[in-house]
Amino acid sequence: MATEHAVAESLRRRMLTELSAGTLPPGARLGSERELADHYGVSRSTLRQVLAALEEAGLVRRVAGRGGGTFVNHAKVEHDLTKVVGVPAYLARQGYSAGTRVVATRMGVADVPTRRALQLGEGDLVVDVRRLRLADGTPFSLDHARFPADRFPGLLEQSLGGSLYELIEKHYGVRIADAEEIVEVVHATDEEAALLAVAVGDALVSITRTTYDTTGTAIEFSHDLFRSDRIRITVRTPGRGLRGASEHSDASHFATISSVPVTG
């Protein structure tokens, strides 16, 4: 006979699969504990254990009292590393309303990592933009992008609430061709937790990206932090003889995925 832990884990995976399928919109009612326990053929204690885990992960919310039950939260946003596309575009494609709050902007001397990524000289200036991205009005990611100042004069005078890729293509004639990304798992600092509405120490998906134009010149160095309860990373690997599709006709994408232990 299966142990209660095994039954709970089996149910958790089944419900995760059903929730990830996206057939139920945010706010949909799954049912009461009694209804769900009968539906899945498990005890109510096992069901409560699984619902608690799903609620902690931000996938469902439970409401007590008359008219209560278990409701679907926002599904995880799919972030496809095989496509170079701005956040608003892939949020809109998945049915989310995208929003942006500009946290800080400045022009300053590039630090060493930025200088190396963008192949700049010592003392060269970069345009530095930090933005909080929203999906259906709730925090989704914290983006920190840096661009060569001499390549994009007047960038900080433009509207920075939409896709920066679309902005630089429209105003500067620069098209994105390639991007290299490093994906890591980190823990939220005090400031990051406050901005992203998570607890200090919660896991975040960190993506460090260098983006190149059609001439192979690096034009962006960025560091994005995503709420781990709101994003799912996908990578499409083409077979022999196939070429990966892209949001832009010639764009390609390279990703290195690693796990970094965080202490403290």
Side-chain angles (χ1 to χ4, degrees), residues 108-126 146-148 180 182 208-212 216-222:
V109 177
D111 58 20
V112 174
T114 303
R115 197 166 67 235
R116 289 174 178 170
L118 297 178
Q119 301 176 6
L120 300 176
E122 188 171 352
D124 283 354
L125 300 177
V126 291
R146 283 140 290 189
F147 300 88
E180 296 178 354
I182 298 176
T208 302
R209 176 175 59 257
T210 305
T211 309
Y212 302 87
T217 302
I219 57 96
E220 177 204 26
F221 180 61
S222 66

Side-chain angles (χ1 to χ4, degrees), residues 8 37 62 76 98 130 145 193 207-208 226 251:
R62 292 181 290 173
K76 290 195 175 184
R130 292 187 71 206
I207 300 182
T208 302
F226 295 86

Side-chain angles (χ1 to χ4, degrees), residues 181-187 203-208 223-226 233 256-262:
E181 294 190 340
I182 298 176
V183 183
E184 303 170 327
V185 176
V186 299
H187 290 178
L204 301 176
V205 177
S206 165
I207 300 182
T208 302
H223 180 218
D224 301 341
L225 293 171
F226 295 86
I233 302 293
T256 300
I257 300 179
S258 61
S259 177
V260 176
V262 180

Side-chain angles (χ1 to χ4, degrees), residues 14-97:
R14 179 180 173 184
M15 293 187 73
L16 276 174
T17 299
E18 294 174 355
L19 290 169
S20 297
T23 55
L24 293 171
R29 184 178 185 273
L30 296 180
S32 66
E33 285 189 358
R34 176 176 295 178
E35 292 168 338
L36 290 174
D38 290 343
H39 174 72
Y40 291 110
V42 298
S43 67
R44 293 178 70 174
S45 63
T46 297
L47 176 69
R48 290 191 191 104
Q49 178 183 340
V50 173
L51 291 179
L54 295 177
E55 186 172 37
E56 184 177 357
L59 298 177
V60 302
R61 59 186 175 88
R62 292 181 290 173
V63 178
R66 179 176 298 180
T70 301
F71 298 85
V72 178
N73 262 348
H74 293 83
K76 290 195 175 184
V77 176
E78 200 85 17
H79 183 37
D80 190 348
L81 292 185
T82 57
K83 295 181 179 180
V84 185
V85 59
V87 170
Y90 69 71
L91 285 177
R93 188 168 57 239
Q94 295 176 59
Y96 292 91
S97 174

Side-chain angles (χ1 to χ4, degrees), residues 228-251:
S228 61
D229 63 337
R230 300 215 60 195
I231 189 172
R232 181 170 55 189
I233 302 293
T234 63
V235 179
R236 185 180 300 107
T237 305
R240 182 175 299 176
L242 297 177
R243 303 179 70 89
S246 171
E247 194 73 18
H248 299 284
S249 59
D250 300 322

Side-chain angles (χ1 to χ4, degrees), residues 130 142 186-204 223 225 262-263:
R130 292 187 71 206
L142 183 61
V186 299
H187 290 178
T189 64
D190 291 356
E191 180 190 15
E192 293 160 357
L195 289 169
L196 290 170
V198 298
V200 175
D202 276 3
L204 301 176
H223 180 218
L225 293 171
V262 180
T263 59

